[in-house]
Amino acid sequence: MSEVEFLSDEEQRLMCLKKLRILDTPVEERFDRITRIVCQSLNVPVSAISLVDRDRQWFKSVQGLDLFETPRNVAFCSQAILNDDPLIVPDALKDPRFCDNPLVTGEPGIRFYAGCPLKIGDTYRIGTLCAIDHLPRELGEADTVLLRDLAAMVVSEISNMALSQAHEGLLSELKEVERSALIDPLTRLWNRAGGEKLLDREWNAALRHKSPVSFIKVDIDRFKQVNDQYGHDIGDQVLKHIAFIIQSSLRPYDVAVRWGGEEFLIVLPGCDERPLRQALERIMSAIWALPAATDKGDVAITASMGAVAAYPKAGDDVMKLLKKADLAMYMAKSAGRNQYMIDEGEDNALLSD
């Protein structure tokens, strides 16, 4: 296995990566969409957006693996960032750089690798968009061009990340180790502690700007029965599936949180009742249409949702508003589950200036 090679401008490259504040952040649909396209278009089981840190590669998005990072000294992508051109490895067992790599000789059994560097500002290669297969193969010219084009899309998304001001502010204040502690390891959404920090920030931002904010509580129906019938491993796959549906149904600057157990919180800044209802319809339709693909086959699931929208006023309590979303969710469950309700109490009506 080759030793890690460093670029002559390694410290500047790492500084560029740190300034992007993308390491140890939650999953985002805009990036997952691209790795899914790689898998589908190149017919590979694994694709990842890998960011090469000082001692590790960390995946902003990954399809086909349950890994979120690996040591840098075993990372194919660490080799791929040494040059501008894509690194193509038709058969890793026949390549002296990788033939004894534990990712080749053991799990996940990499045989084919194609990684296109992600170059920021035509200067620093911070990582790769890569395609991986468990069988040897070649990559044709048209597929290489496609991988380059998709890598350019990743760079564009990184350069134009559309987070809310409150979200951006939190990321800028937290060190990577602190961000990592606020990410749910199963779903890769914000955990409750991270969600509470963002909740306060979004609420205060809405108060300052006199803009609306909406909250959605999502609870998987009869989740205990899923665990009892199929086991907790399948239950975890169902949770990841719901997290995927929620994330893929939201705007880039909305926030999704695993609030606890099978319950999720969604924060929608700048959102009043009409777009709130549209978001609820998108999520509910996606849950209906897409059963969870698990190791024991497709599992059909439903969810109950409660929501609330308001223009914050001085003296309002965000946790009190969340309780209204909770109550609406429990009303949806009491009414038969598999539906949503919006709290429309008079003291919670949307107010205009």
Side-chain angles (χ1 to χ4, degrees):
M1 187 169 64
S2 301
E3 294 291 326
V4 174
E5 295 183 51
F6 296 101
L7 295 159
S8 59
D9 60 354
E10 177 68 4
E11 290 304 317
Q12 292 88 345
R13 187 192 73 82
L14 288 171
M15 188 177 299
C16 172
L17 177 58
K18 304 292 184 186
K19 285 183 177 179
L20 291 169
R21 294 195 291 270
I22 191 173
L23 290 170
D24 298 298
T25 57
V27 294
E28 295 181 64
E29 172 60 15
R30 72 186 97 182
F31 297 110
D32 285 351
R33 185 181 301 118
I34 293 173
T35 50
R36 289 199 300 270
I37 290 173
V38 171
C39 288
Q40 294 165 1
S41 300
L42 302 187
N43 193 28
V44 293
V46 178
S47 176
I49 295 171
S50 171
L51 302 172
V52 181
D53 200 358
R54 187 181 299 276
D55 299 311
R56 61 173 178 158
Q57 68 170 347
W58 178 82
F59 301 132
K60 177 61 179 174
S61 173
V62 60
Q63 308 293 332
L65 290 178
D66 285 331
L67 297 172
F68 301 135
E69 64 177 60
T70 75
R72 182 172 177 176
N73 66 344
V74 301
F76 282 57
C77 297
S78 186
Q79 289 281 333
I81 65 170
L82 298 177
N83 298 286
D84 285 339
D85 292 329
L87 172 65
I88 311 296
V89 182
D91 188 346
L93 282 177
K94 295 180 180 179
D95 192 309
R97 295 170 296 179
F98 305 109
C99 61
D100 59 348
N101 188 302
L103 300 180
V104 175
T105 58
E107 293 295 329
I110 297 174
R111 293 294 295 275
F112 166 81
Y113 171 90
C116 189
L118 305 174
K119 197 170 185 179
I120 301 297
D122 295 325
T123 305
Y124 300 116
R125 295 183 288 271
I126 62 167
T128 74
L129 173 65
C130 61
I132 294 171
D133 204 339
H134 306 303
L135 300 172
R137 58 180 291 175
E138 300 289 337
L139 191 70
E141 183 177 350
D143 287 339
T144 303
V145 170
L146 176 63
L147 191 64
R148 283 182 182 273
D149 287 344
L150 292 172
M153 290 175 62
V154 174
V155 171
S156 178
E157 290 291 350
I158 292 174
S159 301
N160 298 286
M161 290 180 71
L163 300 178
S164 70
Q165 289 183 355
H167 202 163
E168 178 69 21
L170 179 62
L171 291 179
S172 67
E173 289 183 9
L174 295 172
K175 297 178 181 178
E176 286 162 22
V177 65
E178 293 172 323
R179 292 204 294 264
S180 180
L182 298 176
I183 304 298
D184 175 56
L186 178 66
T187 64
R188 297 187 72 189
L189 302 178
W190 290 107
N191 62 23
R192 182 161 183 156
E196 288 176 347
K197 289 179 180 293
L198 280 165
L199 187 64
D200 287 338
R201 285 176 171 270
E202 295 289 5
W203 181 258
N204 290 330
L207 187 60
R208 287 195 309 272
H209 299 297
K210 298 181 179 180
S211 60
V213 61
S214 294
F215 305 107
I216 301 173
K217 280 291 193 70
V218 182
D219 191 83
I220 302 174
D221 294 331
R222 298 184 175 89
F223 184 67
K224 184 178 183 299
Q225 292 182 15
V226 173
N227 281 328
D228 291 344
Q229 181 175 352
Y230 299 104
H232 288 277
D233 287 345
I234 300 303
D236 285 349
Q237 292 175 34
V238 168
L239 287 168
K240 291 169 70 174
H241 172 75
I242 287 292
F244 159 74
I245 285 178
I246 290 172
Q247 192 67 37
S248 62
S249 301
L250 301 181
R251 303 167 301 178
Y253 43 86
D254 294 331
V255 178
V257 180
R258 186 181 177 192
W259 198 244
E262 65 271 28
E263 189 174 305
F264 298 83
L265 169 68
I266 304 168
V267 185
L268 302 100
C271 177
D272 59 19
E273 189 170 353
R274 181 176 178 183
L276 170 60
R277 194 175 295 275
Q278 292 171 343
L280 288 162
E281 291 285 355
R282 285 197 304 273
I283 297 168
M284 188 65 72
S285 296
I287 293 172
W288 287 339
L290 192 62
T294 75
D295 294 341
K296 294 186 178 179
D298 287 352
V299 176
I301 52 176
T302 63
S304 300
M305 297 189 289
V308 62
Y311 280 88
K313 306 185 299 297
D316 284 348
D317 184 348
V318 64
M319 298 310 294
K320 182 178 179 181
L321 204 64
L322 271 192
K323 288 180 180 178
K324 291 179 178 288
D326 265 329
L327 179 59
M329 180 184 72
Y330 287 121
M331 290 176 64
K333 283 188 173 294
S334 298
R337 300 183 175 88
N338 192 24
Q339 58 188 290
Y340 68 81
M341 289 193 178
I342 300 175
D343 182 277
E344 296 177 342
E346 289 184 6
D347 60 335
N348 196 45
L350 291 172
L351 303 175
S352 58
D353 289 336

